[in-house]
Amino acid sequence: MKTYISILAIALALFSCNSEEKRITEIKSPNEKVVVNFNVNNEGRPFYVLSFNNKKVVDTSYLGFEFKDAPAFNKNFIIKNTSTADFNETWQMPWGEQLDVVNNYKELKVELQEKTSPERFLNIIFKVYDDGIGFRYEFPEQARLRGEVFITEEHTEFNLTEDYKTFWIPGDWDIYEHLYNTTNLSEVDALQYANHKNLAQTYIPENAVNTPVTMVGEDGIHLSFHEAALVDYSGMTLKVDTKNLNLKSNLVGSENTDYKVKKTMPFNTPWRTIQITDNAPDLIESKLIVNLNEPNKLGDVSWFKPMKYTGVWWEMHLGKSSWDYGMTQDMSTWTDGGKSHGHHGATTENVKNFIDFSAKNNIGGVLVEGWNTGWEHWIGFEDREGVFDFVTPYPDYDIDEVVRYGKEKGVQIIMHHETSAATETYTKQQDTAYALMQKYGMHAVKSGYVGKILPKGEYHHGQYMVNHYNNAAIKAAKYEVAVNAHEPIKATGLRRTYPNIISREGLRGQEFNAWASDGGNPPEHLPIVAFTRMLSGPIDFTPGIFNIKFDEYKKDNQVNTTIAQQLALYVVIYSPVQMAADLVEHYEANPEPLQFIKDVGVDWQETKVLNGVVGDYVTIARKERETGHWFVGGITDENSRTLQLDFSFLDDNETYEAIIYKDGENAHWDDNPLDIEIEKIELKKDSKLTIKLAEGGGFAISLLKR
Ligand code: NOJ
Ligand code: CA
């Protein structure tokens, strides 16, 4: 795909104001609904106030830093200079939820200086959009602040004016795989999750939340707090002051240093972001996070094609087969089982079976986990460095033959690199590993970081790992490899700059339904995820489980949705790589619903969020690039509901052949998850439809152009 930026209009009205009176301290979004006021108080403390529709949403919130071996940046500032600019461009996503993205904002740059010695400088830049704001700190080149800067804490505040209904996960420094909580902001209690049995790594030191954290107000205001362009810095959690309804940045640290971030002057921080809308659907349509990132630095990435994929994966989570060649790992406890078995999943024969199935069903890729040596020493093994090598297949996996067979059938093999969080081993082997992929024409890798980070003392979300994840992706791009990381750092829109960062996990994925001892993901999980985690970027959730109860494998586990909802997820949850996660035999037993997976697109021209309430339900329509077919998906939580659909988003003068996959009359996520009704009708722009979603249910519609 050709990537280019078409700048429709960049009207740069640069106002620079030096004299005290003319200083600009207010900036409004293009539609003037979002307003930021910036100033310093009488102690010289910098602060901002944010209003939306004439209502204060963030009241006086202070900004600043603490450093190791240097006085803090928190007061004693004067405003030296302010300037504003207008920006309006339309850029194109090489793959994505939509082709054209409008990036239209007003900018305020404030240049601060300390009043007294050491008279250092700090700039703060606000970009104000119709759908929210981003601001960041710039440490400009200066004589009295040079070389290395050691940040012990960033003090960015979000001082809220209402006790919002808040959808949050704890501020874990090591993993985002928590269920969402719905409480008032004043009731956030993250520390109750400090010990979590289903997680191989977890560390929650404060009453803090991770981002994106989404809030809904009494009058319908929707807010989501996150960050954009997280580069060479630590991830930000938000510490909650439940009494004063105040959020404060709390950066992820390291046990190995007495600071949280080390930078070399001059530098910028990531953007601190607040998405603001007056309804839930607009939150999903907001492109603020990608807009705040720099344009594509990789140029043409057409070697990566969005694709559906199957794989040797769910069978291991179900316990049907294993990753390793000679031992068993028990995924429900993440401990080393250690018994010999003879049920290795990644055999040449098994992978060929997936290739055949994929080729028949319009699925472009097959993921193969457990193909390389090392798995026998994986979980529970402290000294994990040097265990995996990413180039040596097990003896029953003929990689040359599998790749050859895939090519013959038009199916690409997706590489798997479980690093076991042994980062030094992985860094050392990246060139060899990616070169092997290039040799085989493999353009996508799923990487994994299960377990505590090595070197010891580092956390998954600290600066060391932020650099590891970003550097891995940048290196992979040189070998035309796209990356889908599990146990990743959160998405912050870097896919705009590096479009080989295709997808990631970073939430409780489908796998939890296979083995979590807490009953798996409840039906409300994804109607929350769509308005929280999904605002940050693509999700490798791995939908499409048809054998919902899988009693023959695990009596005590199941997927907590109907089969119709599993289909809806291909549209609702966005990712340019979308797994058909179930076993071949489970699909072959259900050819009718399988037709939807065969038809559904994976790369979109347009996305429209038709309705939704955070945590309750959501319906999304997406138009496929190239074909112009539309696909619609809707999901609900544990409550059944009836939705009215209006098809005015369809193209003019077109008649579509619609196949509707909806919950049957008696469907229910637990009592009757397989009850599905499939019906074919014609739909046009002026059509309306009433659809009933069962408890934990959903629906999917393909609208194929005739
Ligand atoms: C955890 C990942 O999320 C999962 O998808 C993968 O199968 C295992 N790690 C093994 O790498
Ligand atoms: Ca995981």
Side-chain angles (χ1 to χ4, degrees):
M1 168 108 14
K2 199 169 142 211
T3 20
Y4 60 92
I5 298 171
S6 89
I7 303 209
L8 289 183
I10 302 182
L12 263 184
L14 257 179
F15 288 101
S16 229
C17 296
N18 269 309
S19 69
E20 189 95 20
E21 320 78 67
K22 278 202 210 133
R23 246 157 236 158
I24 304 157
T25 53
E26 180 176 278
I27 185 90
K28 293 183 177 168
S29 62
N31 69 5
E32 307 204 334
K33 289 186 177 174
V34 182
V35 182
V36 171
N37 284 279
F38 176 88
N39 221 320
V40 293
N41 72 4
N42 48 17
E43 287 180 289
R45 291 183 78 186
F47 69 92
Y48 72 100
V49 175
L50 168 69
S51 310
F52 178 62
N53 284 337
N54 301 314
K55 192 184 157 192
K56 245 184 224 176
V57 175
V58 178
D59 208 345
T60 308
S61 295
Y62 294 102
L63 303 168
F65 290 89
E66 264 173 69
F67 307 108
K68 183 189 156 188
D69 303 333
F73 253 174
N74 56 2
K75 54 178 196 253
N76 201 25
F77 280 111
I78 49 166
I79 300 178
K80 283 293 278 185
N81 194 21
T82 59
S83 54
T84 61
D86 284 14
F87 192 85
N88 191 359
E89 70 168 353
T90 299
W91 58 279
Q92 293 199 320
M93 293 181 139
W95 46 263
E97 303 94 313
Q98 63 203 66
L99 183 61
D100 294 318
V101 181
V102 174
N103 183 14
N104 183 16
Y105 61 86
K106 303 227 181 205
E107 177 180 299
L108 170 66
K109 176 172 179 176
V110 184
E111 295 170 48
L112 301 171
Q113 185 177 15
E114 288 174 308
K115 254 183 282 187
T116 52
S117 173
E119 297 181 343
R120 295 165 301 176
F121 298 98
L122 174 68
N123 301 338
I124 302 172
I125 319 290
F126 291 89
K127 289 189 177 181
V128 184
Y129 292 77
D130 292 344
D131 56 349
I133 69 165
F135 60 92
R136 76 174 182 195
Y137 304 89
E138 290 183 2
F139 286 65
E141 196 141 16
Q142 52 195 288
R144 291 188 205 92
L145 187 57
R146 299 167 69 150
E148 286 179 335
V149 173
F150 299 90
I151 298 172
T152 51
E153 197 53 271
E154 175 187 319
H155 294 299
T156 300
E157 289 183 358
F158 306 90
N159 195 9
L160 303 178
T161 56
E162 192 182 319
D163 192 8
Y164 291 106
K165 185 174 183 185
T166 303
F167 298 85
W168 59 276
I169 53 170
D172 197 319
W173 287 15
D174 244 350
I175 195 121
Y176 306 111
E177 295 178 15
H178 291 272
L179 286 176
Y180 280 85
N181 290 268
T182 307
T183 68
N184 278 358
L185 182 59
S186 62
E187 292 159 0
V188 168
D189 174 17
L191 291 171
Q192 65 181 298
Y193 299 105
N195 291 308
H196 200 297
K197 51 181 182 293
N198 282 312
L199 299 172
Q201 70 258 8
T202 172
Y203 181 56
I204 305 169
E206 300 276 1
N207 188 25
V209 295
N210 250 312
T211 70
V213 54
T214 298
M215 301 184 193
V216 181
E218 290 285 330
D219 55 357
I221 188 172
H222 287 67
L223 301 171
S224 189
F225 299 83
H226 189 45
E227 57 183 310
L230 174 53
V231 176
D232 192 16
Y233 205 82
S234 277
M236 177 182 72
T237 70
L238 294 171
K239 202 165 153 178
V240 185
D241 174 344
T242 51
K243 279 207 188 78
N244 298 307
L245 307 178
N246 181 296
L247 304 173
K248 200 173 194 175
S249 56
N250 193 249
L251 300 177
V252 173
S254 154
E255 306 302 324
N256 302 326
T257 56
D258 51 2
Y259 53 84
K260 288 183 168 179
V261 173
K262 175 176 152 186
K263 297 293 297 183
T264 306
M265 287 288 291
F267 69 92
N268 304 324
T269 67
W271 296 95
R272 278 58 189 97
T273 64
I274 312 176
Q275 282 155 290
I276 316 167
T277 62
D278 55 17
N279 63 77
D282 284 359
L283 269 186
I284 298 177
E285 288 190 11
S286 163
K287 284 284 152 286
L288 183 92
I289 304 297
V290 269
N291 272 333
L292 284 165
N293 278 267
E294 288 175 31
N296 183 349
K297 286 189 178 164
L298 299 182
D300 179 15
V301 290
S302 58
W303 41 261
F304 166 72
K305 300 259 182 305
M307 62 180 148
K308 292 173 274 188
Y309 69 100
T310 60
V312 184
W313 179 75
W314 187 239
E315 59 182 79
M316 275 94 90
H317 289 269
L318 289 185
K320 180 190 173 193
S321 69
S322 75
W323 284 270
D324 66 283
Y325 181 61
M327 301 168 79
T328 280
Q329 311 286 351
D330 179 356
M331 294 296 287
S332 65
T333 54
W334 296 98
T335 56
D336 190 346
K339 274 184 261 139
S340 206
H341 57 67
H343 297 302
H344 181 218
T347 64
T348 307
E349 194 196 347
N350 194 19
V351 174
K352 280 188 172 180
N353 190 30
F354 276 101
I355 293 174
D356 288 338
F357 173 78
S358 302
K360 259 188 256 157
N361 290 289
N362 186 31
I363 294 174
V366 175
L367 166 72
V368 185
E369 292 201 5
W371 67 278
N372 59 326
T373 58
W375 291 90
E376 49 284 334
H377 301 297
W378 183 36
I379 294 166
F381 192 67
E382 270 291 290
D383 194 10
R384 283 163 281 128
E385 290 292 5
V387 164
F388 283 108
D389 79 355
F390 315 105
V391 290
T392 311
Y394 280 126
D396 55 351
Y397 183 60
D398 183 343
I399 190 167
D400 289 311
E401 172 56 13
V402 158
V403 169
R404 186 204 62 76
Y405 191 72
K407 281 204 178 119
E408 187 185 305
K409 300 270 170 165
V411 173
Q412 196 182 124
I413 301 299
I414 299 176
M415 179 46 96
H416 184 233
H417 293 162
E418 174 53 68
T419 69
S420 71
T423 60
E424 283 164 8
T425 301
Y426 191 49
T427 304
K428 259 186 239 146
Q429 293 190 29
Q430 274 161 3
D431 282 297
T432 327
Y434 299 146
L436 182 85
M437 289 181 61
Q438 196 171 35
K439 176 185 127 191
Y440 283 123
M442 299 181 186
H443 290 291
V445 63
K446 169 177 169 179
S447 57
Y449 293 84
V450 172
K452 285 191 175 303
I453 296 293
L454 296 176
K456 277 189 185 148
E458 300 300 340
Y459 295 100
H460 281 68
H461 308 155
Q463 186 182 16
Y464 171 85
M465 283 307 290
V466 166
N467 288 335
H468 174 89
Y469 292 113
N470 291 348
N471 292 339
I474 291 167
K475 175 159 278 179
K478 299 200 174 112
Y479 297 88
E480 300 194 336
V481 166
V483 180
N484 165 20
H486 279 225
E487 299 77 50
I489 188 65
K490 58 184 148 184
T492 58
L494 272 178
R495 63 179 161 139
R496 180 179 179 191
T497 315
Y498 304 104
N500 72 320
I501 301 179
I502 46 173
S503 196
R504 78 190 71 209
E505 191 186 39
L507 85 167
R508 267 178 71 126
Q510 185 87 278
E511 61 184 22
F512 274 75
N513 294 325
W515 42 253
S517 56
D518 60 6
N521 301 330
E524 66 163 19
H525 183 53
L526 292 170
I528 302 178
V529 163
F531 297 98
T532 49
R533 160 70 181 85
M534 200 166 85
L535 304 186
S536 68
I539 305 178
D540 188 33
F541 181 76
T542 63
I545 300 304
F546 281 12
N547 185 347
I548 300 271
K549 296 259 182 183
F550 48 82
D551 282 345
E552 57 275 46
Y553 295 109
K554 301 266 191 101
K555 271 250 170 305
D556 298 334
N557 299 90
Q558 70 171 75
V559 171
N560 302 317
T561 75
T562 63
I563 187 169
Q565 180 176 122
Q566 288 296 307
L567 297 181
L569 298 179
Y570 287 90
V571 189
V572 171
I573 302 296
Y574 172 67
S575 174
V577 284
Q578 198 71 283
M579 189 169 202
D582 211 339
L583 312 184
V584 168
E585 57 268 32
H586 297 164
Y587 287 130
E588 284 176 342
N590 292 283
E592 287 172 345
L594 179 61
Q595 186 63 40
F596 182 77
I597 298 182
K598 193 170 173 179
D599 290 339
V600 70
V602 74
D603 194 23
W604 312 107
Q605 177 85 24
E606 257 180 81
T607 284
K608 295 249 188 299
V609 183
L610 304 183
N611 56 44
V613 169
V614 184
D616 292 352
Y617 66 94
V618 59
T619 306
I620 302 184
R622 304 193 197 265
K623 182 183 190 178
E624 191 181 20
R625 292 191 192 186
E626 318 281 334
T627 65
H629 300 326
W630 280 89
F631 297 88
V632 184
I635 63 173
T636 179
D637 60 5
E638 68 283 3
N639 299 305
S640 165
R641 59 188 87 236
T642 300
L643 299 175
Q644 314 293 336
L645 296 185
D646 167 337
F647 290 86
S648 54
F649 57 85
L650 291 175
D651 297 1
D652 294 332
N653 308 320
E654 282 283 354
T655 305
Y656 295 82
E657 181 187 301
I659 312 177
I660 302 169
Y661 303 79
K662 61 179 181 192
D663 293 322
E665 209 29 59
N666 301 312
H668 181 281
W669 65 271
D670 195 20
D671 301 338
N672 197 5
L674 300 181
D675 187 12
I676 186 167
E677 264 173 38
I678 301 173
E679 127 186 62
K680 272 193 195 165
I681 57 171
E682 280 187 354
L683 285 174
K684 291 188 185 155
K685 201 181 173 63
D686 59 1
S687 305
K688 308 255 187 293
L689 205 64
T690 303
I691 289 206
K692 187 176 164 226
L693 292 76
E695 291 87 347
F699 67 91
I701 310 177
S702 13
L703 292 134
L704 308 176
K705 267 191 176 173
R706 301 182 130 215

